[in-house]
Amino acid sequence: MILHPTLRATAILAGALSLAGCVSTAKTVVTAPFKAVGQGVDWATTSQEEADRNRGREMRKQEERDRKERKRAEKEARRQQQRDD
């Protein structure tokens, strides 16, 4: 059976378009596990930027704790000085 050239071109084009969806789906299915593992590694590790940000935050918290402790100690020293006078 010989197909008319226009009909043959239409059949080839339709086949190619239908396979394009299959190839895209197959690519998605094949790459999904790798993307999931990569995301898991990203969640499990800390980037240098995150580490720096966390370190800075912890330093500010420590400075605040030190400031409060120093203020408390100064207040206690003043009270002690007033009792001694």
Side-chain angles (χ1 to χ4, degrees):
M1 179 172 159
I2 299 177
L3 294 175
H4 190 272
T6 305
L7 184 57
R8 181 197 263 161
T10 304
I12 291 172
L13 183 61
L17 289 175
S18 67
L19 284 178
C22 292
V23 170
S24 175
T25 302
K27 179 184 168 209
T28 302
V29 169
V30 169
T31 59
F34 296 102
K35 289 181 181 180
V37 168
Q39 185 65 46
V41 168
D42 188 39
W43 286 339
T45 59
T46 303
S47 71
Q48 188 62 45
E49 181 183 346
E50 290 171 313
D52 292 344
R53 185 174 55 237
N54 292 341
R55 190 170 26 260
R57 183 179 297 127
E58 186 55 39
M59 287 173 61
R60 287 189 299 279
K61 286 180 180 180
Q62 183 62 45
E63 289 170 354
E64 181 66 19
R65 288 189 294 264
D66 292 346
R67 186 188 65 75
K68 285 181 180 181
E69 178 60 28
R70 198 171 33 255
K71 188 175 177 180
R72 187 199 60 75
E74 289 170 357
K75 187 175 182 180
E76 184 62 33
R78 282 193 306 272
R79 284 183 185 168
Q80 193 68 27
Q81 183 68 25
Q82 289 175 351
R83 288 182 193 154
D84 293 344
D85 288 341

